[in-house]
Amino acid sequence: MEDRTLRPDGGETGLEVTARAWPALIEALDRGNAVTVLASHGQLAAHLLREIDGGSGYEVWRAMTMPDVFEIWRDSRLQARRVSREFRAQG
């Protein structure tokens, strides 16, 4: 996950995953709903969270539990920002 250009056999690069998923995230944020839930597998979520806050995709992914809930919102510059981990499975 650190090399975002690496393509696993039969898979997508991290850059391709982000390019595919980013428009869906922005569309959800633009809807203005009180609550919107997006569900994803951990690697896709880690790539998006890395894009938002610049954190290590691999470290975020390794720290994830099932399920995890993250709150994401847009700041005054209309940039996506991760606020916090809202729920983490115990165990």
Side-chain angles (χ1 to χ4, degrees), residues 7-39:
R7 179 185 311 280
D9 290 340
E12 298 174 286
T13 68
L15 293 172
E16 290 169 334
V17 167
T18 302
R20 179 171 53 85
W22 190 257
L25 174 62
I26 296 303
E27 180 181 342
L29 292 171
D30 284 346
R31 297 256 176 181
N33 298 322
V35 175
T36 301
V37 175
L38 301 175

Side-chain angles (χ1 to χ4, degrees), residues 78-89:
L78 300 179
Q79 299 295 310
R81 300 285 180 223
R82 178 176 56 162
V83 175
S84 64
R85 175 180 264 147
E86 296 296 316
F87 175 83
R88 181 183 184 117

Side-chain angles (χ1 to χ4, degrees), residues 39-81:
S40 127
H41 60 78
Q43 288 187 4
L44 187 145
H47 281 295
L48 288 177
L49 293 171
R50 178 182 183 175
E51 186 71 20
I52 292 167
D53 68 10
S56 168
Y58 180 74
E59 292 305 319
V60 169
W61 175 75
R62 290 275 301 161
M64 284 184 176
T65 61
M66 298 300 155
D68 266 337
V69 177
F70 295 92
E71 180 181 9
I72 300 171
W73 56 282
R74 291 183 103 170
D75 67 13
S76 61
R77 297 176 313 218
L78 300 179
Q79 299 295 310
R81 300 285 180 223

